[in-house]
Short mmCIF file of all heavy atoms in Angstrom, two decimals:
data_model
loop_
_atom_site.label_atom_id
_atom_site.label_comp_id
_atom_site.label_asym_id
_atom_site.label_seq_id
_atom_site.Cartn_x
_atom_site.Cartn_y
_atom_site.Cartn_z
N GLY A 194 0.76 -1.23 0.00
CA GLY A 194 0.00 0.00 0.00
C GLY A 194 0.79 1.28 0.00
O GLY A 194 0.24 2.36 0.23
N ALA A 195 2.09 1.22 -0.27
CA ALA A 195 2.91 2.42 -0.29
C ALA A 195 2.75 3.18 -1.59
O ALA A 195 2.38 2.61 -2.63
CB ALA A 195 4.38 2.07 -0.08
N LEU A 196 3.04 4.47 -1.55
CA LEU A 196 3.17 5.27 -2.76
C LEU A 196 4.57 5.00 -3.30
O LEU A 196 5.56 5.31 -2.64
CB LEU A 196 3.00 6.75 -2.43
CG LEU A 196 3.13 7.75 -3.59
CD1 LEU A 196 2.02 7.52 -4.61
CD2 LEU A 196 3.09 9.17 -3.07
N ALA A 197 4.67 4.39 -4.49
CA ALA A 197 5.95 3.95 -5.03
C ALA A 197 6.25 4.65 -6.34
O ALA A 197 5.37 4.85 -7.18
CB ALA A 197 5.95 2.44 -5.24
N ALA A 198 7.51 5.04 -6.50
CA ALA A 198 7.95 5.68 -7.74
C ALA A 198 9.39 5.27 -8.02
O ALA A 198 10.11 4.81 -7.13
CB ALA A 198 7.84 7.20 -7.64
N ASN A 199 9.81 5.45 -9.28
CA ASN A 199 11.15 5.07 -9.69
C ASN A 199 11.83 6.24 -10.39
O ASN A 199 11.20 6.94 -11.18
CB ASN A 199 11.11 3.86 -10.63
CG ASN A 199 12.47 3.55 -11.23
OD1 ASN A 199 13.40 3.23 -10.52
ND2 ASN A 199 12.57 3.66 -12.55
N MET A 200 13.11 6.46 -10.08
CA MET A 200 13.90 7.46 -10.77
C MET A 200 15.06 6.80 -11.49
O MET A 200 15.83 6.05 -10.87
CB MET A 200 14.47 8.49 -9.78
CG MET A 200 15.10 9.70 -10.48
SD MET A 200 16.32 10.57 -9.46
CE MET A 200 17.83 9.70 -9.91
N SER A 201 15.17 7.04 -12.77
CA SER A 201 16.29 6.56 -13.56
C SER A 201 17.26 7.71 -13.78
O SER A 201 16.85 8.81 -14.17
CB SER A 201 15.81 6.01 -14.90
OG SER A 201 16.91 5.70 -15.74
N ALA A 202 18.53 7.49 -13.53
CA ALA A 202 19.51 8.56 -13.65
C ALA A 202 19.55 9.15 -15.06
O ALA A 202 19.73 10.36 -15.23
CB ALA A 202 20.89 8.04 -13.26
N SER A 203 19.35 8.32 -16.08
CA SER A 203 19.46 8.78 -17.46
C SER A 203 18.35 9.74 -17.86
O SER A 203 18.50 10.52 -18.81
CB SER A 203 19.48 7.59 -18.41
OG SER A 203 18.26 6.86 -18.31
N THR A 204 17.23 9.72 -17.15
CA THR A 204 16.10 10.59 -17.49
C THR A 204 15.84 11.64 -16.41
O THR A 204 14.76 12.24 -16.36
CB THR A 204 14.83 9.75 -17.72
OG1 THR A 204 14.55 8.98 -16.54
CG2 THR A 204 15.00 8.81 -18.91
N SER A 205 16.80 11.85 -15.52
CA SER A 205 16.64 12.80 -14.42
C SER A 205 17.60 13.97 -14.60
O SER A 205 18.34 14.05 -15.58
CB SER A 205 16.93 12.11 -13.08
OG SER A 205 18.32 11.87 -12.96
N SER A 206 17.60 14.87 -13.63
CA SER A 206 18.50 16.03 -13.68
C SER A 206 19.96 15.64 -13.50
O SER A 206 20.85 16.48 -13.67
CB SER A 206 18.10 17.05 -12.60
OG SER A 206 16.84 17.63 -12.90
N VAL A 207 20.22 14.39 -13.13
CA VAL A 207 21.61 13.91 -13.09
C VAL A 207 22.25 14.07 -14.46
O VAL A 207 23.43 14.44 -14.59
CB VAL A 207 21.64 12.43 -12.65
CG1 VAL A 207 23.05 11.86 -12.80
CG2 VAL A 207 21.17 12.29 -11.21
N ALA A 208 21.45 13.83 -15.51
CA ALA A 208 21.95 13.96 -16.87
C ALA A 208 22.28 15.41 -17.22
O ALA A 208 23.00 15.68 -18.19
CB ALA A 208 20.93 13.40 -17.86
N LYS A 209 21.76 16.35 -16.43
CA LYS A 209 22.04 17.77 -16.66
C LYS A 209 23.20 18.28 -15.80
O LYS A 209 23.54 19.45 -15.82
CB LYS A 209 20.79 18.60 -16.33
CG LYS A 209 19.59 18.27 -17.20
CD LYS A 209 18.38 19.10 -16.76
CE LYS A 209 17.15 18.75 -17.58
NZ LYS A 209 15.96 19.54 -17.16
N GLY A 210 23.78 17.38 -15.00
CA GLY A 210 24.93 17.75 -14.20
C GLY A 210 24.67 17.95 -12.73
O GLY A 210 25.56 18.38 -11.99
N GLU A 211 23.45 17.64 -12.27
CA GLU A 211 23.16 17.80 -10.84
C GLU A 211 24.03 16.84 -10.02
O GLU A 211 24.20 15.68 -10.39
CB GLU A 211 21.68 17.51 -10.57
CG GLU A 211 21.27 17.73 -9.13
CD GLU A 211 19.77 17.57 -8.93
OE1 GLU A 211 19.25 16.46 -9.17
OE2 GLU A 211 19.12 18.55 -8.54
N SER A 212 24.55 17.31 -8.91
CA SER A 212 25.42 16.49 -8.09
C SER A 212 24.63 15.39 -7.38
O SER A 212 23.41 15.50 -7.19
CB SER A 212 26.15 17.34 -7.04
OG SER A 212 25.26 17.71 -5.98
N PHE A 213 25.35 14.37 -6.97
CA PHE A 213 24.72 13.24 -6.29
C PHE A 213 24.06 13.68 -4.98
O PHE A 213 22.92 13.31 -4.69
CB PHE A 213 25.77 12.15 -6.02
CG PHE A 213 25.23 10.97 -5.27
CD1 PHE A 213 24.45 10.02 -5.90
CD2 PHE A 213 25.52 10.80 -3.92
CE1 PHE A 213 23.95 8.93 -5.21
CE2 PHE A 213 25.02 9.71 -3.21
CZ PHE A 213 24.23 8.77 -3.87
N VAL A 214 24.76 14.51 -4.21
CA VAL A 214 24.22 14.96 -2.92
C VAL A 214 22.99 15.85 -3.13
O VAL A 214 22.00 15.73 -2.41
CB VAL A 214 25.30 15.69 -2.10
CG1 VAL A 214 24.69 16.36 -0.88
CG2 VAL A 214 26.40 14.70 -1.68
N ASP A 215 23.03 16.74 -4.13
CA ASP A 215 21.88 17.59 -4.41
C ASP A 215 20.68 16.76 -4.84
O ASP A 215 19.53 17.05 -4.45
CB ASP A 215 22.21 18.62 -5.47
CG ASP A 215 23.06 19.77 -4.93
OD1 ASP A 215 23.07 19.97 -3.70
OD2 ASP A 215 23.71 20.46 -5.73
N THR A 216 20.93 15.72 -5.62
CA THR A 216 19.84 14.83 -6.02
C THR A 216 19.24 14.14 -4.79
O THR A 216 18.02 14.06 -4.64
CB THR A 216 20.34 13.76 -7.01
OG1 THR A 216 20.80 14.41 -8.20
CG2 THR A 216 19.23 12.79 -7.39
N ALA A 217 20.10 13.67 -3.91
CA ALA A 217 19.63 12.99 -2.70
C ALA A 217 18.78 13.92 -1.85
O ALA A 217 17.70 13.53 -1.36
CB ALA A 217 20.82 12.49 -1.88
N ARG A 218 19.23 15.15 -1.68
CA ARG A 218 18.47 16.11 -0.88
C ARG A 218 17.13 16.44 -1.52
O ARG A 218 16.11 16.59 -0.83
CB ARG A 218 19.30 17.39 -0.70
CG ARG A 218 20.47 17.23 0.27
CD ARG A 218 21.35 18.45 0.25
NE ARG A 218 22.38 18.38 1.29
CZ ARG A 218 23.48 19.14 1.30
NH1 ARG A 218 23.70 20.00 0.31
NH2 ARG A 218 24.36 19.02 2.27
N THR A 219 17.12 16.54 -2.83
CA THR A 219 15.87 16.83 -3.54
C THR A 219 14.86 15.71 -3.33
O THR A 219 13.69 15.94 -3.03
CB THR A 219 16.14 17.00 -5.05
OG1 THR A 219 17.01 18.13 -5.24
CG2 THR A 219 14.85 17.23 -5.81
N LEU A 220 15.31 14.49 -3.47
CA LEU A 220 14.41 13.34 -3.30
C LEU A 220 13.91 13.24 -1.86
O LEU A 220 12.76 12.89 -1.60
CB LEU A 220 15.15 12.05 -3.69
CG LEU A 220 15.65 11.98 -5.14
CD1 LEU A 220 16.42 10.68 -5.37
CD2 LEU A 220 14.49 12.09 -6.12
N ASP A 221 14.78 13.56 -0.92
CA ASP A 221 14.40 13.50 0.49
C ASP A 221 13.32 14.54 0.81
O ASP A 221 12.42 14.28 1.62
CB ASP A 221 15.64 13.75 1.35
CG ASP A 221 15.43 13.40 2.82
OD1 ASP A 221 14.86 12.33 3.10
OD2 ASP A 221 15.83 14.20 3.68
N ARG A 222 13.40 15.68 0.18
CA ARG A 222 12.44 16.76 0.44
C ARG A 222 11.08 16.50 -0.20
O ARG A 222 10.14 17.28 0.00
CB ARG A 222 13.00 18.09 -0.06
CG ARG A 222 14.23 18.58 0.69
CD ARG A 222 13.96 18.83 2.16
NE ARG A 222 13.07 19.97 2.36
CZ ARG A 222 12.68 20.40 3.54
NH1 ARG A 222 13.07 19.76 4.64
NH2 ARG A 222 11.89 21.45 3.64
N MET A 223 10.96 15.42 -0.91
CA MET A 223 9.66 15.03 -1.47
C MET A 223 8.88 14.16 -0.49
O MET A 223 7.99 13.41 -0.87
CB MET A 223 9.85 14.28 -2.80
CG MET A 223 10.39 15.16 -3.90
SD MET A 223 10.61 14.26 -5.45
CE MET A 223 11.24 15.57 -6.52
N ALA A 224 9.23 14.28 0.80
CA ALA A 224 8.57 13.52 1.87
C ALA A 224 8.68 12.02 1.66
O ALA A 224 7.75 11.27 1.92
CB ALA A 224 7.10 13.94 1.99
N THR A 225 9.86 11.60 1.21
CA THR A 225 10.12 10.19 0.96
C THR A 225 10.47 9.48 2.27
O THR A 225 11.27 9.99 3.06
CB THR A 225 11.28 10.03 -0.04
OG1 THR A 225 10.97 10.76 -1.22
CG2 THR A 225 11.49 8.58 -0.40
N ASP A 226 9.89 8.31 2.49
CA ASP A 226 10.19 7.54 3.70
C ASP A 226 11.37 6.59 3.50
O ASP A 226 12.17 6.39 4.41
CB ASP A 226 8.95 6.75 4.13
CG ASP A 226 7.83 7.67 4.58
OD1 ASP A 226 7.99 8.31 5.62
OD2 ASP A 226 6.80 7.74 3.87
N VAL A 227 11.45 5.97 2.30
CA VAL A 227 12.53 5.03 2.02
C VAL A 227 13.10 5.31 0.64
O VAL A 227 12.35 5.44 -0.34
CB VAL A 227 12.04 3.56 2.08
CG1 VAL A 227 13.21 2.60 1.81
CG2 VAL A 227 11.39 3.25 3.41
N LEU A 228 14.41 5.41 0.56
CA LEU A 228 15.12 5.55 -0.71
C LEU A 228 15.92 4.27 -0.96
O LEU A 228 16.74 3.88 -0.13
CB LEU A 228 16.07 6.75 -0.66
CG LEU A 228 15.44 8.14 -0.76
CD1 LEU A 228 16.44 9.20 -0.30
CD2 LEU A 228 15.01 8.41 -2.20
N VAL A 229 15.65 3.63 -2.08
CA VAL A 229 16.36 2.41 -2.47
C VAL A 229 17.30 2.78 -3.61
O VAL A 229 16.86 3.24 -4.67
CB VAL A 229 15.37 1.32 -2.94
CG1 VAL A 229 16.13 0.05 -3.29
CG2 VAL A 229 14.32 1.05 -1.87
N ILE A 230 18.60 2.61 -3.40
CA ILE A 230 19.56 3.09 -4.39
C ILE A 230 20.50 2.00 -4.88
O ILE A 230 21.02 1.21 -4.09
CB ILE A 230 20.40 4.28 -3.84
CG1 ILE A 230 21.44 4.72 -4.88
CG2 ILE A 230 21.03 3.95 -2.49
CD1 ILE A 230 22.20 5.97 -4.53
N ARG A 231 20.71 1.98 -6.20
CA ARG A 231 21.79 1.20 -6.81
C ARG A 231 22.69 2.17 -7.55
O ARG A 231 22.22 3.04 -8.27
CB ARG A 231 21.24 0.15 -7.79
CG ARG A 231 22.34 -0.51 -8.62
CD ARG A 231 21.87 -1.71 -9.40
NE ARG A 231 21.58 -2.83 -8.49
CZ ARG A 231 21.26 -4.05 -8.92
NH1 ARG A 231 21.18 -4.31 -10.21
NH2 ARG A 231 21.01 -5.00 -8.05
N HIS A 232 24.00 2.01 -7.33
CA HIS A 232 24.95 2.98 -7.89
C HIS A 232 26.27 2.27 -8.23
O HIS A 232 26.70 1.38 -7.48
CB HIS A 232 25.21 4.10 -6.88
CG HIS A 232 25.74 5.35 -7.47
ND1 HIS A 232 27.05 5.49 -7.89
CD2 HIS A 232 25.14 6.55 -7.73
CE1 HIS A 232 27.24 6.70 -8.38
NE2 HIS A 232 26.09 7.37 -8.29
#
């Protein structure tokens, strides 16, 4: 029953040069409870 979404690096602002930490902070500020990351 969770609200689930997926982010692909190739179609995100990462491709525009956004830093890894800035991306993490952005995702966190979307009221995310769990971040699952492969890198």
Side-chain angles (χ1 to χ4, degrees):
L196 179 64
N199 173 62
M200 190 203 90
S201 172
S203 62
T204 58
S205 72
S206 292
V207 172
K209 299 178 182 179
E211 183 174 62
S212 75
F213 178 76
V214 170
D215 283 340
T216 298
R218 287 172 173 163
T219 298
L220 299 177
D221 193 45
R222 294 298 292 180
M223 293 180 180
T225 305
D226 294 292
V227 182
L228 284 164
V229 182
I230 178 173
R231 170 170 289 186
H232 201 284

